[in-house]
Amino acid sequence: MRSQIAPETKTVRGAVLRRDPAREPCFRLVHLHHDMEDYGDMSEASRRQRLHQHMHNEMQSLEIAAQCLVDFPDTPWELRMELARQCWDETRHTQMLYRRLRELGGHKGEFPVMNYEWGVTCMMDSLVARLALQNRTFEGGEIDLLRELVQMWRKNGDDETADLLGSILVDEIQHVRFANQWLKRLAKEDPRMLLQVARAMAHLRAITAALAPQAGDVNAAGVNLTGYTHLDVFANVEDRRHAEFTEEEIAEILRQEGFAGLVSHASTA
Ligand SMILES: [Fe+2]
Ligand SMILES: [Fe+2]
């Protein structure tokens, strides 16, 4: 499950990323977080921006899963089916968010977009590395984020968007779960694949460091990125269990978040 095809690339602040996928001309493409219009509040413009950005992220998830089917044709059939089902889910998610964006008066191309997850994940030449990055890491993080966002939209009086995000969360758990199941299965068959996972995580750390906001960076919406506190996102322990992270892995995530005191409780629950 390794690709022989060298990906076409782009370089951003010294980091080598996969070249952007094709986009309709209406989209304004940017390459750094500080060129995004991330408002950080729940104003009307911010609501539309959140939906627009999430819609575009779902498009990327679709493209990443689809590119895996193209780049790794020798993958076991059952895993190809999981990826194909994921393509269907991500297509639906994109359409649901696009519809909600239009209901709130927004339109495609209203805000800048960035292909970060695509650029990072699709540099990897093995399916194992891509599953470790996209499904297990990015979508694993999305599980945590979505739980918080459902509550945030509901608190701000938009039950319809909250329900929509809740239904996306259910599908995301399955995307993380099948990746976890297959990574475990493949590692059992060939422990050397863990090196590919380790390489993938090192790649992610290097790119994250290269593209991180620098002191005083102000984004396209005028928000100071280094002074701005994002919505705190804590591990969604219950759904991570559904996604078949082990208790040790969940405990490690809680530890990293500064909840070491909860770890003994979480790991014995
Ligand atoms: Fe999705
Ligand atoms: Fe997904």
Side-chain angles (χ1 to χ4, degrees):
M1 278 180 286
R2 296 194 83 124
S3 173
Q4 303 304 317
I5 305 159
E8 292 181 73
T9 61
K10 67 175 182 182
T11 303
V12 181
R13 279 191 179 164
V16 181
L17 301 160
R18 182 110 172 200
R19 202 192 65 182
D20 292 288
R23 283 286 174 271
E24 292 168 81
C26 66
F27 283 108
R28 283 182 283 150
L29 201 61
V30 300
H31 304 284
L32 287 168
H33 298 290
H34 75 241
D35 291 326
M36 296 290 284
E37 289 178 25
D38 196 349
Y39 291 86
D41 59 25
M42 282 300 274
S43 63
E44 285 191 15
S46 176
R47 288 178 196 228
R48 295 198 307 277
Q49 196 277 337
R50 287 168 188 276
L51 288 169
H52 190 275
Q53 187 174 341
H54 193 165
M55 172 191 78
H56 184 261
N57 279 345
E58 298 288 353
M59 276 169 66
Q60 277 184 88
S61 299
L62 159 63
E63 289 165 317
I64 292 166
Q67 194 66 48
C68 285
L69 288 169
V70 173
D71 287 347
F72 309 106
D74 298 334
T75 305
W77 176 252
E78 299 85 354
L79 180 49
R80 284 178 70 78
M81 281 302 291
E82 294 284 11
L83 287 162
R85 284 192 202 101
Q86 182 178 355
C87 290
W88 162 235
D89 287 343
E90 309 298 14
T91 305
R92 250 183 320 107
H93 298 167
T94 306
Q95 288 172 335
M96 286 157 70
L97 288 156
Y98 182 37
R99 191 183 62 228
R100 190 67 190 137
L101 172 69
R102 278 177 297 162
E103 285 169 358
L104 295 191
H107 61 269
K108 198 165 54 172
E110 185 175 5
F111 302 96
V113 294
M114 180 173 157
N115 291 302
Y116 175 71
E117 293 171 9
W118 162 274
V120 173
T121 303
C122 292
M123 277 306 290
M124 299 284 97
D125 69 351
S126 75
L127 181 56
V128 160
R130 290 197 199 174
L131 290 176
L133 285 178
Q134 169 62 12
N135 296 55
R136 199 180 140 82
T137 305
F138 292 137
E139 296 190 283
E142 199 188 344
I143 287 181
D144 299 338
L145 179 63
L146 277 168
R147 179 69 81 198
E148 309 262 350
L149 289 178
V150 167
Q151 290 166 8
M152 192 182 79
W153 282 88
R154 210 175 291 293
K155 210 172 73 198
N156 281 276
D158 188 339
D159 285 334
E160 198 164 335
T161 303
D163 291 344
L164 185 160
L165 296 176
S167 74
I168 290 177
L169 171 59
V170 174
D171 291 335
E172 298 307 340
I173 292 169
Q174 170 57 16
H175 304 161
V176 182
R177 180 164 47 200
F178 86 71
N180 273 333
Q181 287 171 340
W182 274 92
L183 287 172
K184 269 176 220 157
R185 186 166 153 182
L186 296 168
K188 217 167 163 186
E189 288 167 12
D190 180 8
R192 281 173 308 175
M193 68 138 249
L194 291 172
L195 290 174
Q196 293 166 24
V197 174
R199 213 175 298 135
M201 300 316 288
H203 165 71
L204 175 60
R205 275 194 297 276
I207 305 275
T208 304
L211 302 191
Q214 295 170 352
D217 268 357
V218 172
N219 78 6
V223 177
N224 181 334
L225 288 177
T226 48
Y228 161 59
T229 312
H230 282 270
L231 175 73
D232 282 334
V233 178
F234 300 117
N236 176 352
V237 171
E238 195 185 329
D239 289 330
R240 279 189 179 258
R241 278 198 189 109
H242 290 148
E244 298 195 16
F245 280 92
T246 65
E247 295 300 330
E248 290 74 24
E249 287 166 341
I250 293 170
E252 182 54 35
I253 291 162
L254 290 174
R255 238 180 248 122
Q256 286 169 12
E257 287 177 350
F259 288 94
L262 291 178
V263 165
S264 58
H265 168 71
S267 59
T268 54

